[in-house]
Amino acid sequence: MQHTDRKLNQMTCRKGNKYQGLTPKTHPWMASLMAQGNLLKELITMHGSPVNILHMDPFEENIAAYRKLFRSFNLKHKIYFARKANKCKSFVRQAIRSGIGIDTASERELAEALDLGMHGQDLVLTSAIKTRTQIELAIKNKVTIILDNVDECHLVNSIAREFNHRVDVGVRVSGFQVNGEKLYSRFGFDIDRVSPFILKNIGENKTYDRLDLTGLHFHLNGYSIEERIAALDQCLELAKQYKSAGYSIQFIDMGGGILVNYLQSREEWESFQLRLKESLMKKAPPVTFQNNGLGYRVLDGKITGSLDTYPYYNEIHGAAFLKKIIMSRGSHGKILADELKKENIQLRIEPGRSLIDQSGITVARVVHRKQDAVGDWLVGLEMNMSQMMSSSADFLLDPFIIYQNRATNQKNTAVYFTGAYCLERDLLLKRKIALPALPEIGDLVVFVNTAGYMMHFFETEAHRFALAKNLVASSRIQTLTTNDFMIDDQASYHG
Ligand SMILES: *Cc1c(COP(=O)(O)O)cnc(C)c1O
């Protein structure tokens, strides 16, 4: 098909993989922005490639959804945004405006939240490694500290004594029993040993007499609802026990790991995995670079292993995921939400990824096209793998391409997007992406829903590449101009 009637310079946006794709869910602000290709091009000209664009409306909507759920159960609650999922200060500012707290996991995350005006009482410190200066800052500002080990108890207590302060602490618990098996974690106090330790050592006239134990905390690896039900249930039992021993237990904090649904179609998600396996068995053409199995392998002519990516398609996600947990019955047959209410315990959550679902995109410029020795098209983008990377083996969302010029000679072309690091493995997506035409130099590629971990978590400055700029869009969705975007450090969003 030729579209010779199409005006030159009219930018068009197309999703990759029109057929057999993994179609992402896109918030209206994303769709609206992608329809304004010239604007995106100007932003890249001004700020360099790639550029991350953030929008605060979805963040607000996600907060509202959790609140609505808690209120429908009439449950005492508090939401903390896990800052590590994205480094933009705009989310901190917006969290303050929205009246939620922040989960901080380093001294800088903590200091920034305080500097931006968040009250210490709205912060929680959950760092894996807690240094003296970090603890001092937390204590001075009445930040609840989540204790992970005995050395921390010692350090926090001695600093509190120096300052003549008392400190609200929660204890992180792990090692929960799920279906007769113990969940291993390197974090926290083991559930089988935590109670004797607390009862013996924490409280007035005990070793750690400056610590006020006000809550219990867990954060589980992975995304299992069942494991979270078990952990919440077992923490409720501990809470009851500690209350009857005289501790004033006010909260259980169940951490993050609430699932996100990134994709529109179950059918696409399932058939992708089927096709991936067939391609590994050589029954279908490759769907990934050099037939990367993304966790699947062929062993003795059979597929083994499991998909080593984030589970991008989830019917139960966000508030519904949380609802499922609190509506469940604990080991004593009582509904967990009812038990929390009966015990007058506030339920705290620390969602990172799921609070910023739909809040960000990453846009990069096409620099070159080439065909490799086996005939695959490689499209070089002005960005690198660290600027869109998580612990997932691949980011399984179809990207969008914005053609500056799509007049003639369109020919479906499947490509791999490659990045700027000197590594063979700097492929921005391992999946092969079918495009309606080979991109031209200067065309733009848009990766959607990258705010949670993708854009910042593993970002590095190897080769002395500058970190990407983060631009925050004003809340209006339609017809923006470059003036409606502020660099994150200066952005003051008025939603
Ligand atoms: C990472 C982390 C979170 C956030 O996890 P998400 O999967 O982004 O929701 C919350 N709490 C703690 C302690 C964490 O380590």
Side-chain angles (χ1 to χ4, degrees):
M1 277 291 276
Q2 298 213 336
H3 291 263
T4 37
D5 55 343
R6 208 180 273 285
K7 264 193 293 175
L8 289 181
N9 262 340
Q10 187 184 325
M11 318 237 318
T12 45
C13 180
R14 292 283 176 274
K15 184 182 81 72
N17 293 336
K18 184 169 183 190
Y19 308 104
Q20 301 196 319
L22 288 169
T23 307
K25 293 202 312 185
T26 48
H27 195 279
W29 77 267
M30 295 174 181
S32 152
L33 201 53
M34 287 192 285
Q36 298 173 69
N38 282 312
L39 173 61
L40 289 175
K41 197 174 172 185
E42 275 180 76
L43 288 173
I44 292 253
T45 305
M46 286 170 74
H47 300 286
S49 173
V51 74
N52 297 317
I53 303 177
L54 291 306
H55 203 297
M56 295 298 129
D57 282 0
F59 183 57
E60 272 293 272
E61 291 159 16
N62 297 332
I63 293 169
Y66 286 125
R67 280 210 169 114
K68 191 172 160 211
L69 173 76
F70 283 128
R71 285 178 182 154
S72 74
F73 279 85
N74 214 359
L75 209 56
K76 283 210 288 189
H77 62 275
K78 185 145 179 129
I79 302 166
Y80 295 84
F81 168 55
R83 175 81 195 282
K84 72 165 189 265
N86 189 285
K87 70 181 186 191
C88 286
K89 291 179 178 173
S90 300
F91 289 116
V92 179
R93 293 194 180 93
Q94 193 56 38
I96 294 171
R97 287 193 190 94
S98 304
I100 64 164
I102 303 260
D103 162 24
T104 61
S106 71
E107 183 170 348
R108 208 158 148 198
E109 286 186 1
L110 176 60
E112 267 181 20
L114 291 165
D115 287 347
L116 290 168
M118 185 159 265
H119 294 300
Q121 279 103 330
D122 292 326
L123 290 165
V124 62
L125 183 71
T126 61
S127 331
I129 299 290
K130 298 186 186 76
T131 57
R132 168 172 277 271
T133 51
Q134 207 179 122
I135 293 168
E136 286 175 1
L137 188 62
I139 291 180
K140 280 184 193 151
N141 289 282
K142 298 193 181 333
V143 174
T144 298
I145 300 177
I146 303 299
L147 298 169
D148 172 85
N149 59 67
V150 179
D151 283 347
E152 273 181 13
C153 295
H154 193 80
L155 186 57
V156 172
N157 194 71
S158 64
I159 296 171
R161 202 174 276 165
E162 278 168 39
F163 290 180
N164 198 22
H165 266 282
R166 299 200 62 77
V167 195
D168 279 352
V169 298
V171 166
R172 182 162 177 173
V173 182
S174 64
F176 301 101
Q177 286 289 333
V178 184
N179 288 330
E181 276 187 46
K182 198 173 171 67
L183 284 183
Y184 173 80
S185 171
R186 78 175 178 97
F187 297 106
F189 287 83
D190 185 81
I191 190 161
D192 300 323
R193 297 185 206 166
V194 67
S195 296
F197 171 78
I198 286 178
L199 299 173
K200 177 159 182 275
N201 295 298
I202 298 184
E204 255 177 88
N205 301 322
K206 297 181 185 174
T207 317
Y208 307 122
D209 56 354
R210 296 286 167 154
L211 309 184
D212 289 325
L213 180 69
T214 52
L216 295 158
H217 177 281
F218 64 88
H219 170 74
L220 305 183
N221 195 27
Y223 309 98
S224 160
I225 288 177
E226 188 188 22
E227 290 173 7
R228 282 171 176 75
I229 293 168
L232 181 55
D233 184 37
Q234 287 161 48
C235 279
L236 258 163
E237 287 309 306
L238 294 182
K240 286 182 208 170
Q241 189 188 335
Y242 302 161
K243 277 169 77 176
S244 57
Y247 296 93
S248 159
I249 303 297
Q250 292 153 29
F251 70 85
I252 295 177
D253 184 336
M254 52 178 284
I258 297 174
L259 276 171
V260 168
N261 182 24
Y262 285 89
L263 298 176
Q264 289 189 9
S265 154
R266 166 191 277 275
E267 196 276 317
E268 283 187 348
W269 176 240
E270 286 174 353
S271 65
F272 162 71
Q273 291 178 64
L274 220 61
R275 237 180 7 265
L276 176 62
K277 291 180 205 171
E278 283 174 354
S279 75
L280 296 179
M281 300 285 286
K282 305 270 175 353
K283 291 181 193 157
V287 296
T288 53
F289 188 66
Q290 295 178 343
N291 240 346
N292 187 317
L294 306 179
Y296 290 122
R297 287 175 298 123
V298 181
L299 191 71
D300 300 330
K302 284 205 198 84
I303 297 284
T304 62
S306 54
L307 196 63
D308 203 6
T309 71
Y310 185 83
Y312 289 96
Y313 180 80
N314 296 290
E315 267 152 27
I316 299 174
H317 61 273
F321 180 96
L322 187 56
K323 183 175 179 182
K324 193 114 181 148
I325 296 167
I326 62 180
M327 274 180 52
S328 296
R329 291 178 192 277
S331 50
H332 296 303
K334 299 199 183 101
I335 290 169
L336 294 172
D338 295 341
E339 284 293 279
L340 287 163
K341 272 189 281 191
K342 196 179 112 220
E343 296 295 326
N344 197 25
I345 287 175
Q346 180 189 56
L347 185 59
R348 298 184 174 180
I349 55 172
E350 298 166 348
R353 187 191 288 271
S354 71
L355 269 188
I356 50 177
D357 179 28
Q358 296 294 334
S359 298
I361 62 175
T362 300
V363 188
R365 179 162 51 197
V366 172
V367 172
H368 67 234
R369 300 84 36 89
K370 63 191 272 192
Q371 245 175 328
D372 68 9
V374 294
D376 280 328
W377 278 101
L378 307 179
V379 174
L381 300 186
E382 191 176 355
M383 74 181 278
N384 66 67
M385 60 195 280
S386 82
Q387 294 170 317
M388 198 179 68
M389 185 190 274
S390 73
S391 52
S392 175
D394 198 19
F395 187 53
L396 297 179
L397 277 62
D398 293 333
F400 291 78
I401 176 135
I402 297 175
Y403 294 98
Q404 309 175 83
N405 208 326
R406 221 168 64 108
T408 53
N409 295 332
Q410 292 178 46
K411 188 163 163 278
N412 283 332
T413 311
V415 309
Y416 293 108
F417 292 109
T418 54
Y421 277 1
C422 59
L423 301 169
E424 289 288 355
R425 65 189 166 89
D426 190 350
L427 273 104
L428 298 159
L429 300 175
K430 296 193 181 68
R431 261 187 329 140
K432 195 173 212 173
I433 306 294
L435 297 175
L438 186 67
E440 286 174 19
I441 293 163
D443 287 350
L444 304 178
V445 177
V446 183
F447 303 102
V448 298
N449 214 354
T450 53
Y453 298 103
M454 300 307 299
M455 58 176 66
H456 293 153
F457 200 76
F458 287 112
E459 191 186 25
T460 57
E461 290 177 284
H463 294 252
R464 306 280 297 127
F465 284 124
L467 301 181
K469 291 282 192 319
N470 298 292
L471 304 180
V472 183
S474 78
S475 83
R476 281 170 299 135
I477 286 175
Q478 305 292 324
T479 54
L480 296 163
T481 73
T482 53
N483 295 329
D484 296 309
F485 297 85
M486 301 273 284
I487 292 181
D488 172 66
D489 263 353
Q490 291 105 47
S492 178
Y493 174 82
H494 298 285

